[in-house]
Structure formats: C-alpha cells, structure tokens
Amino acid sequence: MDGFEYKQGDLYADDLLIADLADQIGTPFFVYSAQGIRSNFRRLQSAFGQRQHQIHYAVKANPNLGLLACLSKLGAGFDVVSGGELTRALKVSNPEDIVFSGVGKSEEEIRLALEHNISSINIESAAELKRIQTIAQSMNKSATVAVRVNPDVDAKTHEYISTGLKENKFGVDTETAIGLYQQIQSLPNIKAPSIAYHIGSQIMQLGPMIDAINKVLVLVDQLLELGIVIKHLDLGGGLGIRYQDENPPLFEDYVQALVSTVDKQHPHLHISIEPGRSIVGNTGLLISKVEYLKNNSGKHFAIVDAAMNDLIRPALYKAWMNICEVQQNDSKSRRDYDVVGPICESADFLGKNRSLAIEQGDLIAVQSTGAYCSSMASNYNSRPRPAEVLVDGDKFHIIRQRESYNDLFDREIIPEFSAS
Ligand code: PLP
C-alpha cells in the first residue's frame, strides 16, 4: 500500500481519512495516492542514476487522464496499445514521448500514430510492416519503428500475462526480425533504429529479464554484422509487485540488472522501459461498502457493493488481492468471509476466506488495485463503473465521475417497431 496507512485504526490515503472520502463520494470508488505514484516513479528514475534512459508508462495499467497527467509532470513518456490509449496520451504528452505497441494495429490507428509523428511504432509482424509502409507512403511520412522480438523466454508468471514465449502471439522470432530489418533497409518510408520486446507482467525474478536482454543483444550483433546499426532498446515492462507475500525485485536491483547487462556489451545503446503495474499497482485501493452479511449453512459471505465488473482480476486470473477493514474495530466479531459482489455469477468474488471484523454498512478496502483494475472494469449486469479519486496530500480530485444509469445506455438506439 504505497501512500496508504492506518492511524489509530483508521485507514488514510495520504492525509485524508478514507471513511470521509466515502461519505462525500459514495461507494464503490477507486482511490489513488498521488504521493505514492510520485514516490514510485522517482525511485525508479533515480535508480538509473546518470545512465541515459526513458520511462514510458504503460497506459493499459491505468489510463485515467488524471494519473497520466501526474506521471507526465514527473517526466514519464507513454506506451500505448490502441488508438484510444494514444488519444489519451496525446492529451497530456508530447507525441515524441509516446511509443505504440500491440499485435493488431488497425489502419486507422497507424494513420493516427503517423499523423502525430510519435516516437516509435513497435511492429509485430511482416504484414504490419507492409501496412505501415503503404500508409506512410500514402501520407508522405517517414515512420520510425522498432521490431518487437519474441525472445522465447519464460517469464515465469501467470500464463495469461506471459508474452515472451514462442507460443505467444506477440512479436517475431529473431530470424524473422533479421529479415524484417533487412527489408526495412529498402523501404523508403520506414526507419528502424530500435528493437523492442516485452516478456510478460507481474514478473518476480530478474533471471528471465536478463536472459531476454542477452538474446536481444545477440540480435544487435547479428544486425551489426549485416551493416544494420541499432541505437536503442525498448526493454518492455513487467516488474511485479507484492499482492500477498511475493518478494518482487527492488527498483534498484531491477535497473542495475538491466543496465549492467546492456552496458557490459553495448554501453552506447539508448534504453527505455515500459513499466505499468510497478508504478501504480500498489498506489490504489477499491473502497466498497458491506451491503449484507449472510450465513449459508455455516459459510459466511460478505456481500459488498463492488463486484467482478469493477475488479475482474480475482475471477480472470484467480488473483489474490488483500482485503482489509477501512475502520478497524476489535469489538466487532471476526469471521472468515467470502467477499462477493451482487453479480449473478459464482465467479463474482473479490476474495475468499478472508478474516474480517465487519458489520453491515462497514467499508472494506481491496488493496493493490491501482493497475489492471479500473482499466479492466466493465458494465456487466448494467452496473455503472465506479468513481475514481486521486488524493494528493490533504486534497483530493475526482478524476472520474461515477457513471450514471443514463450513461449505461446513452449510446443505444431503440429502433421503430411496427406492431406486426
Ligand atoms: N509493455 C507492453 C508491450 C505490455 O504488453 C505491457 C503489459 O503487459 C507492459 C508494457 C506493462 O507491463 P507491466 O504493467 O507489467 O509493467
């Protein structure tokens, strides 16, 4: 919990009492700590010392414009994976600080990237290269690209967020990459000064990251032998965080591992990284109210007003998220609860067998919900998505209004039906 702490049993975000925020905003809502975000970003920055580097925050982790603006002020660039994310990033960032990853960019998305002259389009197939050349030529533009290489390294993470194995859809193998870089030499509208890769998310060990760099450095040498000079490596994101009792590498050790591996062989290469989860993951809480407590034949349920549509990680990845009381009170009886939402699915749980001392009407906080939570929220069961709040010291900003019922069907159209 970066930016959150208990003081005499009451949970605070920076200097503000969460219970007070809940009174003003209603529940459920996501609350983020600006101080936590700044502290994480600055620690990561300073781990690089004097080494040239760029940090492109992975917008998919949490794309809220309030957070992007906060990160942009700190000097972050952005890694985007869709036209929507690109449009968001352009609202707070210079185009030259934006890179565009993703395996399935549409013509419209490529055109948007070229229109704004973003820093790099990270291509993932021969077909995408061909498409970019055609579009760039039609726009009379020069596209700067990196080839995303799949280094075939096991990131040792959940299979759904492992992206660097050859059976994954991402990137191209090194042989194909060599072919693409050779092809690019003769394409008039493309230049490719970089290689990119990203092997997965919630990575707990530095070994796979180092293996991936070493494989990519071999590629740098192979290209050099062919007269193709690579100036920059985009090392992706992926550093894990603690949800329960994991021990992720510290920023300092992570950066030291990346930098020393690159610098041993190619100290003049520029490097960039694309962290998401490790910057914002632990700087967010989902605050929810206990609607009912219920006992089904000895099994205790806390039915809360947040659900799998707001927080899908437990249902999607069987992810364990810590759940705590917002106001601790020893006089309340403690029990093991399945903390569940109101959605009509048994997958709708935020946590199972959690020891909590709670009563109906109390507030709970799901921890580590800064990354891949609000960004994955949906309107399933026609539930309006929660408000999002950024606390900064003793002030707070509502950075996303809670959706209304009207928002749910505002874009829907009822056709005229005849009676027959
Ligand atoms: N870069 C790319 C291309 C990604 O797909 C992702 C997410 O998987 C990231 C960066 C960010 O990863 P993380 O949030 O684990 O740092």
Side-chain angles (χ1 to χ4, degrees):
M1 287 207 294
D2 301 333
F4 305 101
E5 63 173 336
Y6 281 104
K7 292 178 199 165
Q8 281 144 19
D10 289 319
L11 189 57
Y12 280 74
D14 290 357
D15 302 332
L16 297 184
L17 201 54
I18 299 245
D20 282 351
L21 286 174
D23 279 346
Q24 292 175 63
I25 294 157
T27 54
F29 66 97
F30 287 99
V31 54
Y32 310 114
S33 160
Q35 292 184 358
I37 293 169
R38 284 193 200 101
S39 150
N40 284 345
F41 189 84
R42 288 187 177 131
R43 266 189 39 235
L44 183 56
Q45 273 285 22
S46 63
F48 282 92
Q50 298 304 308
R51 174 55 158 99
Q52 171 287 329
H53 69 279
Q54 281 165 304
I55 301 177
H56 292 128
Y57 165 73
V59 171
K60 63 160 74 78
N62 191 322
N64 187 292
L65 287 177
L67 297 199
L68 301 192
C70 174
L71 286 160
S72 178
K73 267 267 167 347
L74 296 167
F78 297 97
D79 165 54
V80 302
V81 292
S82 69
E85 286 191 359
L86 175 54
T87 307
R88 282 176 179 273
L90 285 167
K91 286 213 169 287
V92 301
S93 172
N94 293 322
E96 60 269 26
D97 293 324
I98 300 174
V99 298
F100 196 164
S101 308
V103 74
K105 298 174 204 81
S106 68
E107 289 184 7
E108 186 191 355
E109 289 174 324
I110 291 167
R111 221 170 272 122
L112 186 66
L114 291 174
E115 234 166 64
H116 289 277
N117 301 316
I118 67 165
S119 162
S120 180
I121 304 178
N122 295 350
I123 62 171
E124 305 220 12
S125 61
E128 187 185 351
L129 175 60
K130 191 167 168 210
R131 182 177 269 187
I132 294 174
Q133 165 58 29
T134 307
I135 297 173
Q137 195 166 15
S138 74
M139 295 171 75
N140 202 18
K141 289 265 189 187
S142 171
T144 306
V145 307
V147 174
R148 176 167 172 180
V149 174
N150 183 326
D152 195 22
V153 165
D154 184 356
K156 300 199 164 53
T157 184
H158 190 286
E159 59 175 320
Y160 289 179
I161 49 176
S162 177
T163 57
L165 282 169
K166 65 172 182 246
E167 67 252 34
N168 301 135
K169 67 182 173 183
F170 302 97
V172 296
D173 59 55
T174 46
E175 249 167 63
T176 308
I178 291 172
L180 292 181
Y181 280 103
Q182 284 179 307
Q183 198 186 329
I184 287 169
Q185 302 309 299
S186 60
L187 293 178
N189 297 78
I190 311 264
K191 46 184 191 289
S194 315
I195 300 175
Y197 70 87
H198 169 77
I199 60 169
S201 193
Q202 186 58 4
I203 300 173
M204 285 295 143
Q205 298 168 31
L206 295 175
M209 298 192 183
I210 294 170
D211 291 348
I213 300 180
N214 280 324
K215 287 199 171 178
V216 170
L217 289 173
V218 170
L219 176 60
V220 171
D221 290 333
Q222 287 172 320
L223 289 171
L224 202 55
E225 275 170 28
L226 295 167
I228 299 168
V229 180
I230 295 298
K231 297 186 175 142
H232 173 262
L233 293 186
D234 176 345
L235 310 170
L239 184 64
I241 61 171
R242 174 176 290 191
Y243 286 98
Q244 187 173 11
D245 52 9
E246 306 92 332
N247 275 317
L250 298 174
F251 281 144
E252 293 73 14
D253 297 335
Y254 163 68
V255 169
Q256 155 74 13
L258 300 186
V259 167
S260 65
T261 310
V262 173
D263 286 358
K264 230 182 281 164
Q265 298 175 57
H266 285 284
H268 302 302
L269 278 176
H270 281 214
I271 54 174
S272 58
I273 54 172
E274 300 170 351
R277 191 189 308 266
S278 57
I279 303 284
V280 296
N282 271 325
T283 67
L285 302 176
L286 174 61
I287 308 299
S288 179
K289 189 178 72 182
V290 178
E291 295 285 10
Y292 304 101
L293 296 178
K294 162 169 171 174
N295 177 353
N296 267 1
S297 312
K299 175 96 190 154
H300 295 280
F301 293 94
I303 302 164
V304 300
D305 64 1
M308 66 187 286
N309 71 298
D310 308 307
L311 177 59
I312 195 142
R313 294 191 73 257
L316 185 60
Y317 308 123
K318 294 202 168 70
W320 195 97
M321 319 277 295
N322 198 29
I323 302 177
C324 58
E325 301 92 353
V326 166
Q327 293 173 303
Q328 295 171 326
N329 184 339
D330 289 341
S331 68
K332 294 182 181 173
S333 56
R334 177 168 291 278
R335 283 211 174 85
D336 283 350
Y337 291 100
D338 281 7
V339 181
V340 300
I343 284 183
C344 308
E345 298 231 8
S346 292
D348 181 24
F349 62 92
L350 306 182
K352 292 192 171 175
N353 292 318
R354 302 309 172 85
S355 168
L356 292 164
I358 47 174
E359 290 175 354
Q360 184 170 349
D362 283 354
L363 298 171
I364 55 140
V366 188
Q367 298 178 7
S368 309
T369 55
Y372 304 108
C373 293
S374 67
S375 57
M376 297 175 99
S378 75
N379 292 122
Y380 186 41
N381 271 211
S382 283
R383 289 171 48 85
R385 278 177 291 179
E388 294 180 75
V389 178
L390 180 66
V391 172
D392 194 356
D394 60 2
K395 296 195 175 47
F396 76 89
H397 310 278
I398 295 181
I399 55 172
R400 189 171 203 273
Q401 301 280 0
R402 181 183 313 288
E403 285 176 343
S404 68
Y405 290 139
N406 276 331
D407 291 332
L408 294 174
F409 45 76
D410 234 16
R411 305 182 73 81
E412 293 175 25
I413 297 158
I414 304 176
E416 293 284 334
F417 292 108
S418 63
S420 57

